[in-house]
Amino acid sequence: MQDKKILEVNHLNKKFGDNEILKDINGTVKSGEVICVIGPSGAGKSTFLRCLNLLEKPTSGEVKFEGTDLTHVNEKQLINLRERMGMVFQSFNLFPNMTVIENLKLAPIRVKHLKDDEAQKIAMHLLDRVGLAEKANAYPSSLSGGQQQRVAIARALAMNPEVMLFDEPTSALDPEMVGEVLEVMNELAKDGMTMVVVTHEMGFAKEVADEVWFMADGYILERNKPDELFDNPQNERAKDFIGKIIQNV
Amino acid sequence: MKKNLKAIIQIFIMIAAVFTLTTVFSNSAAAADTSLQRVKERGELIMVTSPDYPPYEFQVNKNGKDKIVGMDIDVAKKVAKDLHVKLVIKSMNFDSLLVAIQTGKADMAIGGINPTAARRQSVDFSKIYYSGGQSFLINSSDVNKYKSAKNLKGATIGAQTGTLQYGLAKKKIPNSTVKGMDKSTDLVLALKTHKIDALGIEKPSAEAYVKNDPSLKMISSGYHLNKNEIGAAIAFKKGSGSLVAAVNKSIDQIKKQNLTEQYLAGAGKYMKVNTVNTSMFHYWKYFAKGVEYTILISVVSTFFGVLIGVILALMRFSKQKWLRGLAISYTEFIRGTPLMVQVLFVYFGIGVVVNIPALISGMIAVSLNSGAYVAEIIRGGINSVAKGQTEAAASLGLSKGDLMRFVILPQAFKNIWPALGNEFISLIKESSIVSIIGVTDLIYQLNIVRADTYRGVMPIFVAMLLYFVMTFALTRVLNHFEGKMKHAG
Ligand SMILES: Nc1ncnc2c1ncn2[C@@H]1O[C@H](COP(=O)(O)OP(=O)(O)O)[C@@H](O)[C@H]1O
Ligand SMILES: [Mg+2]
């Protein structure tokens, strides 16, 4: 594991109108690291994640990806940098007008200008990896939620990203499907993928996270090793929040 | 919002400019009287008329060909012959006749027009070529109730909108309610179904109806009128002195030789032919032609409407503020004005600067109108695609163009298609408005058949059926494609 900084956030601030959602966020994600972000609903976790690939434009502060400040590049450069950051959404966001394999091949062909057979090979390999090779020609609407999310992960991986951002990837799933998605993510982490994951899956966090960041009210109030943070939180809000999720399990 | 307002104001200024231009054009044309010279140089005398007013003018089918005949047509033919030019007949609503000559669509308007003082302010008139007199049509069952016009006090009286009869009934029958309609055929139907008690109409027309329909009777109007209010004259654009003088020579001859009597007798013969066979099947060619034009207008306007709509929708998503503003103002303006006014504006307004034939004017107006609605449908369809789709595409590094082409548009199209289908269907129906400028679509043909057969309801029923067949067929076709799209995920 190298110590190369993949993402670096300095004094990040985000306002929607007069509403300050992110307040002076700082943090670093090194190559191969897995960061889990937890916190109550409305804390600003999604907004934070979306600021990392500039889906949301920060009001002030820096978001550096491999040393380049994304807040100061033009549209074209931003598109180039974004393709190297994969993102997986709570609601999957597969393209319903395309088959599974077409979902995977679109960006490699259109953005990376791969030939069709190259893209096909990569796509099939990834579908195999998430256990859905036989669904290649199915339309997303015919898949279960868990299957759709695995396809969404494969689609992001098809661009061979340096870092993967996950925004509550399992919270829209029926409980029996959470496992299959977490398993894919688990393997990804073990393969050395750099990941920032917004999740409340404590088991997953404990197993693969290098660090857990607790967010509330637009601040990162505590960051620590998962065992420390879950078993012995220092911050009052964190203590309260973890108490609640343990009760719910 | 302010930006929109600015753009809308700009459009108003543009329209005002076009309007001023047209006024200047018409005035400058009036300044030098070249009216006679132009007709002679052209070798054609163009007249407009509203052929639903037997025996003055009406349409018949002779040897399989549509023909406008009647006393007025014979008068116009004589005028053309005396001028040694060819007569060209254009037809449109009575309401539009005077506008048509003012805007240069024709050299003269003829159609039992009474040269009243009010009309003289906006057009020139020839001498009176025929004095018919005013009368009322009533139902035969009412002969005892309405022995003379005096008994009409407080009655409901019908008259063609924009005609002298309308104004007279209002002014001269105490306490009466006057109902105006565009077509004399509608008025006769209204009379027969007792929606009105009497119908103010010129004597020759009344006589024609009475001859053909035993359920109708005629009574004298009892109006004391000056000759301008009973006579029929030919209307010209103001400042056409030379042409009027030439036409007056022909009219002098007509009067001297009492030719109108001969003309009326000729018209009467046509009317007899007309009423022999009033079955709708006999008129299938009229309806076929109407359907043909309605389909033609709808297809062409759908094509250009979609084209304009796509362009407007692209403008709405453009980065350029002024393009967005222009598209918004256009859409708002079109949606905020009736199609009928747009049709009239294209034909008469723009027509002063560039002379566009009625059919093309109709197509342009309907296309421009449909474009605005199609643009809104497309915009709605695009906006209805979930925001997550855009974000997913952006996170994969797709360009805006690819996002549109591969992700948004294919999905939007599924939402757009049914709405677009509705737009096409309403276009078939709404295109009927072009009949007011004389395009021979189904509605226009329907009115011709009604005037021809003296049958009020049956032609309406046939036209209704034909419209339904067209829209129903289109619905099936659209549903077929919609079904196909569902399979594609
Ligand atoms: N596009 C937006 N416009 C306005 N407010 C927003 C927008 N997106 C998020 N917010 C607000 O920001 C706050 C944090 O939202 P979010 O980042 O989604 O929180 P979390 O993911 O932690 O639940 C919420 O109060 C939300 O209403
Ligand atoms: Mg969230």
Side-chain angles (χ1 to χ4, degrees), chain A residues 14-17 19-22 39-50 56 90 167-168 198 215, chain B residues 387:
Chain A
K14 175 69 188 173
K15 286 183 186 172
F16 287 113
N19 213 352
E20 198 170 19
I21 304 301
L22 297 179
S41 170
K45 306 180 297 294
S46 295
T47 306
F48 170 63
L49 208 63
R50 293 151 57 79
E56 215 66 81
Q90 187 174 348
D167 190 2
E168 304 204 37
V198 176
M215 272 187 86
Chain B
K387 195 173 164 237

Side-chain angles (χ1 to χ4, degrees), chain B residues 89-161:
Chain B
I89 305 176
K90 282 189 180 179
S91 53
M92 59 187 65
N93 262 20
F94 185 81
D95 263 350
S96 305
L97 294 183
L98 296 191
V99 189
I101 53 169
Q102 282 172 316
T103 55
K105 291 277 164 196
D107 301 310
M108 62 184 208
I110 182 163
I113 305 171
N114 307 112
T116 57
R119 285 184 181 144
R120 280 184 191 282
Q121 293 190 346
S122 46
V123 293
D124 282 353
F125 276 105
S126 70
K127 290 186 184 167
I128 287 168
Y129 59 87
Y130 179 78
S131 284
Q134 302 292 338
S135 57
F136 289 103
L137 273 178
I138 55 168
N139 286 304
S140 299
S141 53
D142 285 341
V143 278
N144 291 324
K145 198 169 160 198
Y146 303 122
K147 283 202 173 78
S148 82
K150 282 205 190 83
N151 304 119
L152 289 173
K153 206 184 282 179
T156 303
I157 295 171
Q160 247 180 307
T161 314

